[in-house]
PDB file of all heavy atoms in Angstrom:
ATOM      1  N   LYS A  74      -5.181 152.950  33.819  1.00  0.00           N
ATOM      2  CA  LYS A  74      -3.997 153.296  34.597  1.00  0.00           C
ATOM      3  C   LYS A  74      -4.319 153.555  36.063  1.00  0.00           C
ATOM      4  O   LYS A  74      -3.417 153.697  36.881  1.00  0.00           O
ATOM      5  CB  LYS A  74      -3.316 154.540  34.014  1.00  0.00           C
ATOM      6  CG  LYS A  74      -2.805 154.379  32.586  1.00  0.00           C
ATOM      7  CD  LYS A  74      -2.180 155.679  32.095  1.00  0.00           C
ATOM      8  CE  LYS A  74      -1.696 155.559  30.653  1.00  0.00           C
ATOM      9  NZ  LYS A  74      -0.576 154.603  30.528  1.00  0.00           N
ATOM     10  N   GLY A  75      -5.593 153.644  36.404  1.00  0.00           N
ATOM     11  CA  GLY A  75      -5.984 154.022  37.754  1.00  0.00           C
ATOM     12  C   GLY A  75      -6.002 155.538  37.877  1.00  0.00           C
ATOM     13  O   GLY A  75      -5.393 156.257  37.075  1.00  0.00           O
ATOM     14  N   ALA A  76      -6.692 156.037  38.894  1.00  0.00           N
ATOM     15  CA  ALA A  76      -6.875 157.478  39.042  1.00  0.00           C
ATOM     16  C   ALA A  76      -5.556 158.239  39.124  1.00  0.00           C
ATOM     17  O   ALA A  76      -5.340 159.220  38.411  1.00  0.00           O
ATOM     18  CB  ALA A  76      -7.728 157.759  40.283  1.00  0.00           C
ATOM     19  N   ILE A  77      -4.640 157.773  39.980  1.00  0.00           N
ATOM     20  CA  ILE A  77      -3.363 158.477  40.146  1.00  0.00           C
ATOM     21  C   ILE A  77      -2.472 158.279  38.929  1.00  0.00           C
ATOM     22  O   ILE A  77      -1.822 159.218  38.456  1.00  0.00           O
ATOM     23  CB  ILE A  77      -2.637 157.997  41.416  1.00  0.00           C
ATOM     24  CG1 ILE A  77      -3.550 158.151  42.638  1.00  0.00           C
ATOM     25  CG2 ILE A  77      -1.349 158.783  41.630  1.00  0.00           C
ATOM     26  CD1 ILE A  77      -4.028 159.551  42.873  1.00  0.00           C
ATOM     27  N   GLY A  78      -2.452 157.062  38.397  1.00  0.00           N
ATOM     28  CA  GLY A  78      -1.642 156.790  37.213  1.00  0.00           C
ATOM     29  C   GLY A  78      -2.048 157.656  36.041  1.00  0.00           C
ATOM     30  O   GLY A  78      -1.204 158.148  35.283  1.00  0.00           O
ATOM     31  N   ASN A  79      -3.341 157.877  35.888  1.00  0.00           N
ATOM     32  CA  ASN A  79      -3.824 158.710  34.789  1.00  0.00           C
ATOM     33  C   ASN A  79      -3.461 160.174  35.000  1.00  0.00           C
ATOM     34  O   ASN A  79      -3.147 160.900  34.050  1.00  0.00           O
ATOM     35  CB  ASN A  79      -5.336 158.555  34.641  1.00  0.00           C
ATOM     36  CG  ASN A  79      -5.837 158.985  33.281  1.00  0.00           C
ATOM     37  OD1 ASN A  79      -5.116 158.893  32.287  1.00  0.00           O
ATOM     38  ND2 ASN A  79      -7.066 159.451  33.216  1.00  0.00           N
ATOM     39  N   MET A  80      -3.490 160.626  36.258  1.00  0.00           N
ATOM     40  CA  MET A  80      -3.087 161.999  36.562  1.00  0.00           C
ATOM     41  C   MET A  80      -1.613 162.220  36.235  1.00  0.00           C
ATOM     42  O   MET A  80      -1.236 163.244  35.659  1.00  0.00           O
ATOM     43  CB  MET A  80      -3.361 162.310  38.038  1.00  0.00           C
ATOM     44  CG  MET A  80      -4.834 162.447  38.381  1.00  0.00           C
ATOM     45  SD  MET A  80      -5.139 162.538  40.175  1.00  0.00           S
ATOM     46  CE  MET A  80      -4.185 163.977  40.612  1.00  0.00           C
ATOM     47  N   LEU A  81      -0.773 161.255  36.587  1.00  0.00           N
ATOM     48  CA  LEU A  81       0.656 161.384  36.312  1.00  0.00           C
ATOM     49  C   LEU A  81       0.936 161.336  34.819  1.00  0.00           C
ATOM     50  O   LEU A  81       1.794 162.064  34.303  1.00  0.00           O
ATOM     51  CB  LEU A  81       1.418 160.272  37.042  1.00  0.00           C
ATOM     52  CG  LEU A  81       1.336 160.296  38.566  1.00  0.00           C
ATOM     53  CD1 LEU A  81       2.095 159.124  39.169  1.00  0.00           C
ATOM     54  CD2 LEU A  81       1.885 161.609  39.107  1.00  0.00           C
ATOM     55  N   TYR A  82       0.212 160.474  34.130  1.00  0.00           N
ATOM     56  CA  TYR A  82       0.350 160.409  32.673  1.00  0.00           C
ATOM     57  C   TYR A  82      -0.035 161.745  32.045  1.00  0.00           C
ATOM     58  O   TYR A  82       0.651 162.256  31.154  1.00  0.00           O
ATOM     59  CB  TYR A  82      -0.531 159.288  32.123  1.00  0.00           C
ATOM     60  CG  TYR A  82      -0.570 159.222  30.616  1.00  0.00           C
ATOM     61  CD1 TYR A  82       0.553 158.853  29.882  1.00  0.00           C
ATOM     62  CD2 TYR A  82      -1.749 159.543  29.923  1.00  0.00           C
ATOM     63  CE1 TYR A  82       0.519 158.804  28.493  1.00  0.00           C
ATOM     64  CE2 TYR A  82      -1.799 159.500  28.542  1.00  0.00           C
ATOM     65  CZ  TYR A  82      -0.665 159.127  27.831  1.00  0.00           C
ATOM     66  OH  TYR A  82      -0.703 159.088  26.456  1.00  0.00           O
ATOM     67  N   ALA A  83      -1.123 162.337  32.540  1.00  0.00           N
ATOM     68  CA  ALA A  83      -1.575 163.625  32.024  1.00  0.00           C
ATOM     69  C   ALA A  83      -0.521 164.710  32.225  1.00  0.00           C
ATOM     70  O   ALA A  83      -0.266 165.524  31.338  1.00  0.00           O
ATOM     71  CB  ALA A  83      -2.883 164.027  32.706  1.00  0.00           C
ATOM     72  N   LEU A  84       0.113 164.700  33.397  1.00  0.00           N
ATOM     73  CA  LEU A  84       1.136 165.705  33.695  1.00  0.00           C
ATOM     74  C   LEU A  84       2.328 165.594  32.747  1.00  0.00           C
ATOM     75  O   LEU A  84       2.931 166.598  32.368  1.00  0.00           O
ATOM     76  CB  LEU A  84       1.613 165.554  35.146  1.00  0.00           C
ATOM     77  CG  LEU A  84       2.693 166.517  35.618  1.00  0.00           C
ATOM     78  CD1 LEU A  84       2.203 167.964  35.568  1.00  0.00           C
ATOM     79  CD2 LEU A  84       3.144 166.168  37.034  1.00  0.00           C
ATOM     80  N   ASN A  85       2.661 164.372  32.346  1.00  0.00           N
ATOM     81  CA  ASN A  85       3.880 164.144  31.566  1.00  0.00           C
ATOM     82  C   ASN A  85       3.682 164.185  30.059  1.00  0.00           C
ATOM     83  O   ASN A  85       4.631 163.956  29.306  1.00  0.00           O
ATOM     84  CB  ASN A  85       4.495 162.793  31.964  1.00  0.00           C
ATOM     85  CG  ASN A  85       5.039 162.806  33.380  1.00  0.00           C
ATOM     86  OD1 ASN A  85       5.666 163.781  33.796  1.00  0.00           O
ATOM     87  ND2 ASN A  85       4.795 161.748  34.141  1.00  0.00           N
ATOM     88  N   ILE A  86       2.478 164.469  29.587  1.00  0.00           N
ATOM     89  CA  ILE A  86       2.262 164.610  28.143  1.00  0.00           C
ATOM     90  C   ILE A  86       3.047 165.815  27.636  1.00  0.00           C
ATOM     91  O   ILE A  86       2.954 166.908  28.191  1.00  0.00           O
ATOM     92  CB  ILE A  86       0.757 164.780  27.833  1.00  0.00           C
ATOM     93  CG1 ILE A  86      -0.004 163.503  28.180  1.00  0.00           C
ATOM     94  CG2 ILE A  86       0.555 165.140  26.363  1.00  0.00           C
ATOM     95  CD1 ILE A  86      -1.507 163.649  28.054  1.00  0.00           C
ATOM     96  N   GLU A  87       3.822 165.603  26.602  1.00  0.00           N
ATOM     97  CA  GLU A  87       4.659 166.673  26.058  1.00  0.00           C
ATOM     98  C   GLU A  87       3.880 167.523  25.057  1.00  0.00           C
ATOM     99  O   GLU A  87       3.134 167.013  24.228  1.00  0.00           O
ATOM    100  CB  GLU A  87       5.885 166.078  25.363  1.00  0.00           C
ATOM    101  CG  GLU A  87       6.901 165.442  26.315  1.00  0.00           C
ATOM    102  CD  GLU A  87       7.595 166.482  27.189  1.00  0.00           C
ATOM    103  OE1 GLU A  87       7.684 167.649  26.754  1.00  0.00           O
ATOM    104  OE2 GLU A  87       8.039 166.128  28.290  1.00  0.00           O
ATOM    105  N   ASP A  88       4.021 168.836  25.173  1.00  0.00           N
ATOM    106  CA  ASP A  88       3.533 169.752  24.152  1.00  0.00           C
ATOM    107  C   ASP A  88       4.344 171.038  24.238  1.00  0.00           C
ATOM    108  O   ASP A  88       5.281 171.147  25.040  1.00  0.00           O
ATOM    109  CB  ASP A  88       2.031 169.992  24.258  1.00  0.00           C
ATOM    110  CG  ASP A  88       1.618 170.715  25.545  1.00  0.00           C
ATOM    111  OD1 ASP A  88       2.473 171.359  26.178  1.00  0.00           O
ATOM    112  OD2 ASP A  88       0.437 170.630  25.918  1.00  0.00           O
ATOM    113  N   SER A  89       4.013 172.014  23.423  1.00  0.00           N
ATOM    114  CA  SER A  89       4.823 173.236  23.332  1.00  0.00           C
ATOM    115  C   SER A  89       4.342 174.359  24.249  1.00  0.00           C
ATOM    116  O   SER A  89       4.898 175.460  24.218  1.00  0.00           O
ATOM    117  CB  SER A  89       4.826 173.733  21.880  1.00  0.00           C
ATOM    118  OG  SER A  89       3.494 173.984  21.441  1.00  0.00           O
ATOM    119  N   SER A  90       3.326 174.102  25.050  1.00  0.00           N
ATOM    120  CA  SER A  90       2.780 175.157  25.913  1.00  0.00           C
ATOM    121  C   SER A  90       3.797 175.606  26.955  1.00  0.00           C
ATOM    122  O   SER A  90       4.595 174.810  27.458  1.00  0.00           O
ATOM    123  CB  SER A  90       1.509 174.669  26.612  1.00  0.00           C
ATOM    124  OG  SER A  90       0.523 174.319  25.677  1.00  0.00           O
ATOM    125  N   GLU A  91       3.737 176.865  27.313  1.00  0.00           N
ATOM    126  CA  GLU A  91       4.659 177.431  28.296  1.00  0.00           C
ATOM    127  C   GLU A  91       4.316 176.969  29.711  1.00  0.00           C
ATOM    128  O   GLU A  91       5.197 176.725  30.536  1.00  0.00           O
ATOM    129  CB  GLU A  91       4.592 178.960  28.211  1.00  0.00           C
ATOM    130  CG  GLU A  91       5.621 179.681  29.047  1.00  0.00           C
ATOM    131  CD  GLU A  91       5.568 181.190  28.834  1.00  0.00           C
ATOM    132  OE1 GLU A  91       4.864 181.641  27.905  1.00  0.00           O
ATOM    133  OE2 GLU A  91       6.234 181.913  29.614  1.00  0.00           O
ATOM    134  N   TYR A  92       3.012 176.856  29.976  1.00  0.00           N
ATOM    135  CA  TYR A  92       2.543 176.429  31.292  1.00  0.00           C
ATOM    136  C   TYR A  92       1.612 175.233  31.145  1.00  0.00           C
ATOM    137  O   TYR A  92       0.925 175.078  30.131  1.00  0.00           O
ATOM    138  CB  TYR A  92       1.788 177.563  32.004  1.00  0.00           C
ATOM    139  CG  TYR A  92       2.552 178.857  32.101  1.00  0.00           C
ATOM    140  CD1 TYR A  92       1.976 180.062  31.693  1.00  0.00           C
ATOM    141  CD2 TYR A  92       3.843 178.897  32.610  1.00  0.00           C
ATOM    142  CE1 TYR A  92       2.662 181.256  31.788  1.00  0.00           C
ATOM    143  CE2 TYR A  92       4.552 180.087  32.711  1.00  0.00           C
ATOM    144  CZ  TYR A  92       3.955 181.262  32.299  1.00  0.00           C
ATOM    145  OH  TYR A  92       4.641 182.441  32.387  1.00  0.00           O
ATOM    146  N   LYS A  93       1.545 174.410  32.190  1.00  0.00           N
ATOM    147  CA  LYS A  93       0.650 173.261  32.146  1.00  0.00           C
ATOM    148  C   LYS A  93       0.010 173.023  33.513  1.00  0.00           C
ATOM    149  O   LYS A  93       0.579 173.360  34.552  1.00  0.00           O
ATOM    150  CB  LYS A  93       1.392 172.007  31.690  1.00  0.00           C
ATOM    151  CG  LYS A  93       2.516 171.571  32.617  1.00  0.00           C
ATOM    152  CD  LYS A  93       3.070 170.189  32.244  1.00  0.00           C
ATOM    153  CE  LYS A  93       3.856 170.175  30.976  1.00  0.00           C
ATOM    154  NZ  LYS A  93       4.498 168.851  30.744  1.00  0.00           N
ATOM    155  N   MET A  94      -1.183 172.437  33.493  1.00  0.00           N
ATOM    156  CA  MET A  94      -1.856 172.050  34.724  1.00  0.00           C
ATOM    157  C   MET A  94      -2.635 170.765  34.498  1.00  0.00           C
ATOM    158  O   MET A  94      -3.035 170.457  33.368  1.00  0.00           O
ATOM    159  CB  MET A  94      -2.804 173.150  35.218  1.00  0.00           C
ATOM    160  CG  MET A  94      -4.067 173.317  34.399  1.00  0.00           C
ATOM    161  SD  MET A  94      -5.321 174.344  35.223  1.00  0.00           S
ATOM    162  CE  MET A  94      -4.450 175.892  35.412  1.00  0.00           C
ATOM    163  N   VAL A  95      -2.785 169.997  35.575  1.00  0.00           N
ATOM    164  CA  VAL A  95      -3.659 168.828  35.559  1.00  0.00           C
ATOM    165  C   VAL A  95      -4.869 169.196  36.402  1.00  0.00           C
ATOM    166  O   VAL A  95      -4.758 169.396  37.612  1.00  0.00           O
ATOM    167  CB  VAL A  95      -2.953 167.582  36.126  1.00  0.00           C
ATOM    168  CG1 VAL A  95      -3.918 166.401  36.166  1.00  0.00           C
ATOM    169  CG2 VAL A  95      -1.726 167.232  35.293  1.00  0.00           C
ATOM    170  N   PHE A  96      -6.015 169.282  35.751  1.00  0.00           N
ATOM    171  CA  PHE A  96      -7.231 169.747  36.429  1.00  0.00           C
ATOM    172  C   PHE A  96      -8.222 168.598  36.529  1.00  0.00           C
ATOM    173  O   PHE A  96      -8.415 167.837  35.583  1.00  0.00           O
ATOM    174  CB  PHE A  96      -7.842 170.916  35.648  1.00  0.00           C
ATOM    175  CG  PHE A  96      -8.814 171.729  36.449  1.00  0.00           C
ATOM    176  CD1 PHE A  96      -8.355 172.643  37.384  1.00  0.00           C
ATOM    177  CD2 PHE A  96     -10.179 171.598  36.271  1.00  0.00           C
ATOM    178  CE1 PHE A  96      -9.238 173.415  38.135  1.00  0.00           C
ATOM    179  CE2 PHE A  96     -11.077 172.354  37.008  1.00  0.00           C
ATOM    180  CZ  PHE A  96     -10.608 173.264  37.953  1.00  0.00           C
ATOM    181  N   HIS A  97      -8.858 168.455  37.691  1.00  0.00           N
ATOM    182  CA  HIS A  97      -9.792 167.352  37.923  1.00  0.00           C
ATOM    183  C   HIS A  97     -11.122 167.602  37.220  1.00  0.00           C
ATOM    184  O   HIS A  97     -11.642 168.721  37.236  1.00  0.00           O
ATOM    185  CB  HIS A  97     -10.036 167.166  39.416  1.00  0.00           C
ATOM    186  CG  HIS A  97      -8.780 166.878  40.180  1.00  0.00           C
ATOM    187  ND1 HIS A  97      -8.667 167.101  41.535  1.00  0.00           N
ATOM    188  CD2 HIS A  97      -7.587 166.372  39.784  1.00  0.00           C
ATOM    189  CE1 HIS A  97      -7.463 166.753  41.942  1.00  0.00           C
ATOM    190  NE2 HIS A  97      -6.787 166.316  40.905  1.00  0.00           N
ATOM    191  N   GLU A  98     -11.698 166.551  36.654  1.00  0.00           N
ATOM    192  CA  GLU A  98     -12.962 166.703  35.921  1.00  0.00           C
ATOM    193  C   GLU A  98     -14.140 167.056  36.824  1.00  0.00           C
ATOM    194  O   GLU A  98     -15.171 167.535  36.349  1.00  0.00           O
ATOM    195  CB  GLU A  98     -13.277 165.431  35.136  1.00  0.00           C
ATOM    196  CG  GLU A  98     -13.627 164.222  35.983  1.00  0.00           C
ATOM    197  CD  GLU A  98     -14.065 163.026  35.148  1.00  0.00           C
ATOM    198  OE1 GLU A  98     -14.711 163.218  34.105  1.00  0.00           O
ATOM    199  OE2 GLU A  98     -13.746 161.888  35.547  1.00  0.00           O
ATOM    200  N   ASP A  99     -13.993 166.809  38.137  1.00  0.00           N
ATOM    201  CA  ASP A  99     -15.088 167.132  39.058  1.00  0.00           C
ATOM    202  C   ASP A  99     -14.882 168.468  39.759  1.00  0.00           C
ATOM    203  O   ASP A  99     -15.581 168.785  40.721  1.00  0.00           O
ATOM    204  CB  ASP A  99     -15.283 166.018  40.093  1.00  0.00           C
ATOM    205  CG  ASP A  99     -13.987 165.623  40.806  1.00  0.00           C
ATOM    206  OD1 ASP A  99     -12.925 166.166  40.446  1.00  0.00           O
ATOM    207  OD2 ASP A  99     -14.037 164.759  41.694  1.00  0.00           O
ATOM    208  N   ASP A 100     -13.924 169.266  39.277  1.00  0.00           N
ATOM    209  CA  ASP A 100     -13.681 170.601  39.826  1.00  0.00           C
ATOM    210  C   ASP A 100     -14.194 171.670  38.870  1.00  0.00           C
ATOM    211  O   ASP A 100     -14.360 171.430  37.669  1.00  0.00           O
ATOM    212  CB  ASP A 100     -12.194 170.824  40.086  1.00  0.00           C
ATOM    213  CG  ASP A 100     -11.661 169.983  41.244  1.00  0.00           C
ATOM    214  OD1 ASP A 100     -12.468 169.317  41.912  1.00  0.00           O
ATOM    215  OD2 ASP A 100     -10.432 169.980  41.455  1.00  0.00           O
ATOM    216  N   ILE A 101     -14.401 172.861  39.409  1.00  0.00           N
ATOM    217  CA  ILE A 101     -14.908 173.988  38.626  1.00  0.00           C
ATOM    218  C   ILE A 101     -14.042 175.215  38.892  1.00  0.00           C
ATOM    219  O   ILE A 101     -13.675 175.501  40.027  1.00  0.00           O
ATOM    220  CB  ILE A 101     -16.372 174.291  38.986  1.00  0.00           C
ATOM    221  CG1 ILE A 101     -17.265 173.125  38.566  1.00  0.00           C
ATOM    222  CG2 ILE A 101     -16.855 175.570  38.320  1.00  0.00           C
ATOM    223  CD1 ILE A 101     -18.722 173.339  38.918  1.00  0.00           C
TER     224      ILE A 101
END
Side-chain angles (χ1 to χ4, degrees):
K74 298 179 182 294
I77 305 302
N79 200 29
M80 289 170 59
L81 297 178
Y82 174 68
L84 179 62
N85 292 318
I86 294 173
E87 290 292 334
D88 65 20
S89 58
S90 300
E91 187 176 350
Y92 306 129
K93 62 170 71 173
M94 72 167 60
V95 177
F96 198 77
H97 301 158
E98 69 174 325
D99 51 356
D100 290 354
I101 294 179

